[in-house]
Every structure is written in structure tokens, then in C-alpha cells.
Amino acid sequence: MSIGNEWQQELIFPPAPEFTAQANAGDASIYATAADDYEAFWASWADRLEWFTPYNTVLEWNPPHAKWFLGGTLNVSYNCVDRHLSTHRRDKTAIVFEGEPGDTRSLTYAELSVEVNRFANVLKKLGINKGDRVTLYMPMTPEAAIAMLACTRVGAVHSVVFGGFSAESLRERSNDSGAKLIITADGYWRRGHIVPLKKTTDEAVAGCPTVENVIVLQRIGVDAGITMVEGRDHWWHDLVAGVSDECPAEPMDAEDPLFILYTSGSTGKPKGILHTTAGYLTGVTATTNYVFDIKDTDLYWCTADVGWITGHSYVVYGPLANGATVFMYEGSPDWGRTVGEGAGAAPGPNRARLWDIIERHKVTILYTAPTLIRSCMKWGEVYPQKHDISSLRLLGSVGEPINPEAWLWYHEFIGGKNCPIVDTWWQTETGAIMISPLPGITNTKPGSATKPFPGICAEIVDEQGNPVKDGQKGILVIRKPWPSMLRTLWGNDERYKQVYWSKFEGLYFPGDGAVRDDDGDFWLLGRVDDIMLVAGHNISTMEMESSLVEHAAVAEAAVIGKSHEIKGQAPVAFVIIREGYGPAAGDTEAADKLRAELKEFVAHKLGAICRPDDIILSAELPKTRSGKIMRRLLRDVAEGRVMGDTTTLADPAVVASLREKYSSDES
Ligand code: WTA
């Protein structure tokens, strides 16, 4: 992602005094207090949780391994549900759901408790015990949250796989974690189509020796056309029928594994990020409270899918731990029926769906991704202007750098110029928000994630690990441990050390470039490794390359992320075709067919979000004399830039021919 030098921009938006007056974090001295004693700061948040046994040590730090809140026991579902039941929140709405076809449902904390307890008992009945892994491949319905919470209740470690991933990805992830159970649905609605989760699960489970059972939520009904395998597959509604709604919450050690979430790795195979119980819950509780300024009166909507970390931390755990009311939406933001069209109107394309939802439900906090903001911007402000979205009081952004134009549009047309915007930088690995404004305290600037969260020690260094001066671009690092940091990679501690802790001695390396301005505000500049940010999703160029070369026609492939107006980056693949497989010279029809086939091949292997935007069939790739593919040059070709230095190339003529090809092949 190139945001050029826009970080030098000087537009500043101070917090409104009325906002500060009511803010959860309204006093800037918390930064100094936390910096003075970060352990004490985090402990003060841990103390807001309910513990079965108190911890005795805040932190044990043996770099790169951290243990937080040692000696304590607690349970995450207890903290997200049970403890609210003895308060005014018992009958408060916990989750409001709207499906893509327009069906709605809501659950109070008391009702959520019944569902979680019942489902926890179901898990036990199927032999799921403390420490067992459970894969979730679920739609964005309340049952996703219920299943996650039920896992934490019995001490099972969940691994949620995004519903847009392929059978192969699901299989790989289930096998890596050794899951005993997969929880899925017959399907879900997206853009009026059924996404066939159960059919994909069937394909995956065929190669999952550890999976004993599959639980299937009925979301679609007969139209899903699924078959149930006797003895292996069970309907969710059959299993919960008649089951007790009391299941004691398992006391978990502070450092017991809570969940695994797979994320793309720059060397191909996904990494199983492991989060543990107390530290993670402390981190998401604190950040939800301070960054989103969450209150009992809010209706909070984070548009992320539960398949991503944002869905874990800021749809489920952070908001529920704070006793908030969370809104969940199943489908696509540009599909559905609008109010006033009549109940019988067939759902169809609807670019006002988000704003229609906000108006009807009176959403107060919206947390979404720059790619969606840019789409809305392209569609035009007429859509939000058709709706009364004045219930909004705070806006958030996550997933990739937000360009100032999108920030300003979000501010003006969605926030009505009076909602603070929190641009939050963090990662699957960090568990919780790391760099973000605190809306009652921080001056915001379009395109800057501003300040490290209190207690987070972020810095910018050069390639040697030495701090750079303000205003100089460098590499972001985190100097001190934080409670919600990943503990390791599931089953691969060596890779954990190598990926995050080997670049700089004793410093956590997130893989992002950044610059800090004279006010101490951080501007994130995109990845410095081989990960692309496609519509905010991390995609590994290596993983795509490996899948392309599995196609019989492909001899070699190089994938790069090309700048894209809406998605931030879009994957482009340069492919060398094997002798005998290539289309005859000039046969554009055969070339088009092969390109389409390769796109489909990758989408099928990895999931639709990994479908390449362009495929360039080439005879050669630009390589250095030592044989390394020069991805920088490929990016230049794809983005139509004049080439820089090509003197290290083994054969400079390759680039010229690629440029020519690119302009003729681009689809
Ligand atoms: C990028 C998502 C700039 C970054 C929570 C990071 C961002 C990666 C921002 C993690 C932001 C996320 N500004 N870049 N506000 N938020 N990123 O693991 O490159 O899906 O390393 O976690 O997204 O993506 P992940």
C-alpha cells in the first residue's frame, strides 16, 4: 500500500469537549501513568475481571515468552456472560442480529447465557474436554458467538476458519490444530446466494482423521440441499433439545490456551496464532472500553466476520466482557431490501444497506475497514444521505492504512463531522488494538493511527534495529510485552521465534513499515514482508505462488500486490507456462481461457478472497543474477511505472517484454 508522503499532512481534528467530558478515557495522564509502570496499568484492567482464584504475579518475561497474571484462574464465558446476570445487564440485549434476507433476532444476556450453557453441555456430551480443539466454520449469526463462548466455558480451544475459505484451507487448519469437532452451518446468505458451508465441510472432513463429529446449524433449510452423514453429523437444534441450561464454567489457568487463529505467513503455510486466557481477555476488555468508549446505551457494530481476529476481539470478547450490546449482520453490505419497499419486495443490490441498518437499529458505534469505506465513497454519498444515521457517535477503521481521502469522506458523510474516528492498528498476533487514538483525548489526523495504547511501547527502528528520528520512515517494533500478545505458534515455537523475534534482538517485529511525526503520531505505511493486504485481508504471496505451481500448466509463478483503488492491494500473478501447455502465439481466446482457469484454480484451492485480479502469462520472470525474482520490478510493471534500476537483472530485456505483455493481457 503506498500512501506516499501523505503522512506529512497537517489537518488536525481535536476531540470535542462534550465528547471528552463523557469519555471512558478523558484524562491524558493515563499515558504517563501506564508508561511509568506498565505492569501496574495492565493489572488494573485484569482486576476488573472476575477471577475464581486471584493471580499472584503480573508478568513473567523470558523473551520471547511472556506469561501474564500467573497463578490466577478464571473463565472467559463467565466474564462475558455470567457476571452480567447479577447486574442491571441481565435483561439488557447482548446481541442484535440481522440476516441478509432481512430476518432479525435479539438475545438478552440472560438468553445468551441459556444458549451458551446448553451448547457447552452439548460439547461435553460429544466428548469435548478441556484442551481439545474445535474448528468453527460458521456464518455471522449469534450461534458463532454462542459456539465460541461455549468452547471457552468447557475449556476447549476454538479455531475459527473464515467461511469464505476453501475446503482445502479448512482441512489444513483442522489438521494442524488436531480438531476433534467441526461446528458449521448448512449455509448462509451472501448477495442472495447460499454459501454452502456444509458441502465444503464434507469435502474437507474427508481428509481430517482427527475429526469425530460435525455439528450443523440450520440457517438455510431445505434449499441448502445438504446430506447428513449418519453417526458423524448432528443438527445443532437436535443436540440442544432437552439439554440442561446449566453448565459450570471450567476454571482455567490464566495461561491456558483460549483459541488458535490461523493467519497468512510470508513463507506460505498459515501460522496458528495462539492466544491464552487472562492476558487476551484483559487486552480486549481495556481496548474496547477506552478506544470505542463503549457505554450501556450504545449499539455497537463491528462489521468484521468472526473468522478474523477483529471478529474475535471486537465482535465477541471485548464488547461482551464490557456488557455491551453488539450488532451482527450476516451478509453483504451492498445487498438487501430497504425499508419502505414492502415486505414482499425481493432482495437485490442495495448500496444503502449499511445506512438502512444503522437508521433502523440506531447503531451508535461503527467499526469497519477502509476497503468498505472506499467502496461506499465510490458509490457516492447519496446512499448514506437517504438515511438518518445521526445515531452514530463514534467511527472506527481497521485492517490496512486508511488513505486521508477515505478518512475525510467517512468523517463528513458518515460521521456528520461530529464523530471521532479511531484508526486502529493491530494484528491477529497482538490480539488487541495497539496503536489508536483515544477518542476523548487524542487529536486525530486523517491517515494516522496516532498513539500507542497506554501500556504499549511502540517504536520505529532502522534495518539494524536502531531507533530512527521522527519524520524518518522505518520499521515498527514493540519493545515491551503486553497481555494479549500471541504466546507462540501452535505446534511450532521455532517458527514463532524466527518470524517475530529474530529480526531484532528482544524486539517484537510485526512486519509493518511506519513513520512517527513531530507530534509523536504514528503513520503506518503497509507491510515490509511478502504479505499483501487485499481488502484488509492478509494474503501471502508465497501461498498463492505455491498453489499456482500445483496447476499442471504452471512451471513458475510470482505474485505481487498491485495498488488498487478500492481493495488497497490486489493480487497479480506472473506465470511461466510449461512447454506444451501454453496457448499458441496470437490465440487470445486460448490465453483468456487459461487465465480464467488459473484464477478459478487459486480461488478453489485457497478461497475466493485469494482469486488473482490479473494473470500475466509470460515466458520469463525478471531475476537477479543470483536467481531471486525481482518482485519490485513486477510491481512496477503491474502499476505501469517507469522502471528504476534494472542493472542487477540477469536479463534486462525480460522486463521490457513483460511490460508489453502486461498492457495487452490485463483483463
Ligand atoms: C494491517 C487485523 C495500517 C497491518 C486487525 C497489520 C493496518 C495487518 C491497520 C494485520 C491500520 C491493520 N493501519 N495497517 N489501522 N490495521 N493493519 O492480522 O499491516 O488481519 O500488520 O489483523 O493489517 O492484519 P490482521
Side-chain angles (χ1 to χ4, degrees):
M1 175 86 192
S2 66
I3 61 168
N5 279 334
E6 283 163 320
W7 60 270
Q8 286 164 346
Q9 182 161 320
E10 286 187 345
L11 268 178
I12 296 179
F13 295 80
E18 313 81 79
F19 194 96
T20 306
Q22 60 81 59
N24 291 349
D27 179 354
S29 69
I30 51 176
Y31 283 103
T33 315
D36 244 22
D37 187 347
Y38 73 106
E39 290 187 33
F41 171 78
W42 289 118
S44 74
W45 279 99
D47 293 345
R48 296 205 199 179
L49 302 177
E50 208 152 305
W51 296 79
F52 296 145
T53 328
Y55 58 87
N56 49 47
T57 309
V58 176
L59 170 66
E60 200 181 272
W61 180 220
N62 294 312
H65 294 110
K67 290 183 176 169
W68 284 85
F69 311 119
L70 286 89
T73 65
L74 74 174
N75 181 282
V76 168
S77 84
Y78 190 93
N79 273 279
C80 290
V81 184
D82 302 41
R83 78 174 149 138
H84 305 310
L85 301 180
S86 54
T87 71
H88 63 281
R89 291 182 179 137
R90 184 184 174 81
D91 296 317
K92 180 186 164 175
T93 304
I95 300 176
V96 184
F97 165 74
E98 182 166 318
E100 191 183 83
D103 52 321
T104 57
R105 181 181 165 200
S106 73
L107 289 154
T108 64
Y109 273 94
E111 288 162 343
L112 179 62
S113 164
V114 168
E115 302 281 344
V116 170
N117 277 270
R118 276 209 184 117
F119 200 67
N121 277 325
V122 163
L123 294 177
K124 280 187 165 171
K125 251 176 53 181
L126 290 182
I128 299 300
N129 296 308
K130 185 170 173 169
D132 288 340
R133 275 81 61 207
V134 175
T135 298
L136 270 65
Y137 189 57
M138 299 280 288
M140 275 299 281
T141 58
E143 286 81 4
I146 292 165
M148 289 163 81
L149 290 164
C151 285
T152 72
R153 194 160 193 88
V154 302
V157 181
H158 62 65
S159 159
V160 185
V161 176
F162 172 57
F165 276 134
S166 64
E168 199 164 307
S169 309
L170 176 61
R171 184 187 310 137
E172 185 181 19
R173 287 160 173 78
S174 297
N175 286 343
D176 189 78
S177 67
K180 276 171 81 172
L181 167 72
I182 297 187
I183 307 172
T184 187
D186 52 357
Y188 68 94
W189 295 106
R190 188 161 172 90
R191 284 214 175 89
H193 294 288
I194 297 166
V195 181
L197 291 178
K198 173 62 166 68
K199 285 182 186 160
T200 312
T201 303
D202 288 342
E203 222 183 290
V205 176
C208 296
T210 56
V211 173
E212 296 163 1
N213 291 290
V214 176
I215 300 180
V216 187
L217 172 76
Q218 190 169 51
R219 166 71 189 136
I220 304 289
V222 284
D223 290 349
I226 65 161
T227 44
M228 298 288 277
V229 175
E230 185 76 35
R232 184 196 76 183
D233 299 349
H234 319 267
W235 285 111
W236 176 302
H237 54 266
D238 286 344
L239 291 174
V240 293
V243 167
S244 157
D245 56 13
E246 269 175 52
C247 175
E250 188 74 33
M252 302 298 286
D253 186 87
E255 281 297 337
D256 273 337
L258 177 64
F259 66 80
I260 303 166
L261 182 58
Y262 288 86
T263 185
S264 295
S266 54
T267 52
K269 213 170 117 53
K271 302 172 295 199
I273 306 298
L274 180 71
H275 283 292
T276 58
T277 303
Y280 173 82
L281 192 61
T282 301
V284 297
T285 302
T287 48
T288 304
N289 191 289
Y290 272 4
V291 175
F292 299 115
D293 190 49
I294 213 133
K295 303 275 175 16
D296 265 331
T297 43
D298 280 311
L299 178 57
Y300 162 92
W301 184 14
C302 165
T303 63
D305 190 279
V306 283
W308 308 115
I309 190 68
T310 310
H312 284 60
S313 301
Y314 300 111
V315 174
V316 181
Y317 294 120
L320 296 180
N322 277 282
T325 304
V326 174
F327 182 79
M328 279 175 98
Y329 172 60
E330 171 188 39
S332 171
D334 61 355
W335 196 270
R337 197 163 27 83
T338 317
V339 198
E341 277 180 45
N350 177 3
R351 289 172 168 177
R353 183 68 190 259
L354 291 174
W355 324 122
D356 170 37
I357 287 176
I358 291 171
E359 176 173 13
R360 274 185 294 114
H361 295 275
K362 300 210 168 16
V363 173
T364 60
I365 301 172
L366 177 67
Y367 187 33
T368 191
T371 183
L372 184 57
I373 300 167
R374 288 192 294 262
S375 292
C376 294
M377 201 172 151
K378 193 169 159 199
W379 300 334
E381 47 269 21
V382 294
Y383 297 101
Q385 280 167 350
K386 281 190 201 165
H387 293 276
D388 176 4
I389 54 173
S390 58
S391 54
L392 288 171
R393 68 177 194 94
L394 178 78
L395 304 174
S397 172
V398 61
E400 56 179 311
I402 179 165
N403 48 311
E405 298 76 9
W407 195 104
L408 288 165
W409 188 87
Y410 199 28
H411 171 74
E412 180 170 353
F413 296 106
I414 308 308
K417 294 191 182 164
N418 54 29
C419 294
I421 296 183
V422 290
D423 172 9
T424 62
W425 177 88
W426 59 295
Q427 308 180 291
T428 307
E429 291 86 339
T430 68
I433 291 167
M434 301 289 278
I435 304 181
S436 166
L438 294 184
I441 298 177
T442 317
N443 288 338
T444 57
K445 299 174 186 171
S448 169
T450 72
K451 302 274 193 292
F453 191 80
I456 298 298
C457 182
E459 290 172 18
I460 299 170
V461 298
D462 62 18
E463 276 293 336
Q464 284 68 48
N466 302 314
V468 300
K469 286 203 197 76
D470 285 346
Q472 222 170 311
K473 291 182 186 176
I475 299 163
L476 180 69
V477 293
I478 314 293
R479 188 168 288 281
K480 290 180 183 157
W482 64 100
S484 63
M485 67 191 271
L486 78 167
R487 296 303 192 260
T488 187
L489 295 181
W490 182 257
N492 200 344
D493 197 52
E494 270 318 302
R495 190 174 178 202
Y496 165 71
K497 291 182 197 160
Q498 186 259 323
V499 173
Y500 304 104
W501 300 93
S502 69
K503 188 160 174 80
F504 306 114
E505 177 80 32
L507 297 176
Y508 172 79
F509 167 66
D512 281 63
V515 58
R516 189 168 52 194
D517 67 19
D518 292 339
D519 301 326
D521 287 322
F522 285 70
W523 300 72
L524 279 305
L525 303 172
R527 304 288 309 183
V528 296
D529 55 11
D530 294 330
I531 305 273
M532 295 172 284
L533 294 171
V534 179
H537 303 139
N538 299 5
I539 297 179
S540 152
T541 53
M542 283 276 294
E543 198 178 5
M544 279 186 67
E545 288 165 6
S546 314
S547 79
L548 276 164
V549 296
E550 280 178 42
H551 190 283
V554 177
E556 202 177 346
V559 172
I560 54 109
K562 159 189 171 175
S563 297
H564 187 280
E565 194 195 349
I566 303 291
K567 295 192 258 188
Q569 286 187 307
V572 172
F574 292 80
V575 169
I576 300 183
I577 298 299
R578 268 181 213 287
E579 204 81 41
Y581 284 90
D587 187 346
T588 52
E589 205 174 303
D592 285 348
K593 207 168 145 241
L594 180 57
R595 277 197 295 270
E597 185 181 321
L598 291 176
K599 285 184 189 178
E600 208 35 55
F601 184 77
V602 178
H604 182 74
K605 281 201 110 38
L606 299 176
I609 52 167
C610 299
R611 184 191 308 271
D613 269 38
D614 301 329
I615 299 236
I616 314 304
L617 308 175
S618 164
E620 281 172 278
L621 293 171
K623 291 190 181 156
T624 61
R625 287 185 207 110
S626 60
K628 257 185 99 166
I629 295 174
M630 295 196 67
R631 289 194 171 67
R632 174 180 59 83
L633 284 178
L634 293 176
R635 207 169 298 128
D636 286 345
V637 170
E639 292 174 1
R641 261 194 306 277
V642 181
M643 242 55 73
D645 180 17
T646 56
T647 50
T648 51
L649 271 182
D651 179 5
V654 171
V655 173
S657 87
L658 270 178
R659 280 176 76 180
E660 212 169 286
K661 275 201 111 3
Y662 193 87
S663 31
S664 59
D665 276 8
E666 204 174 356
S667 38

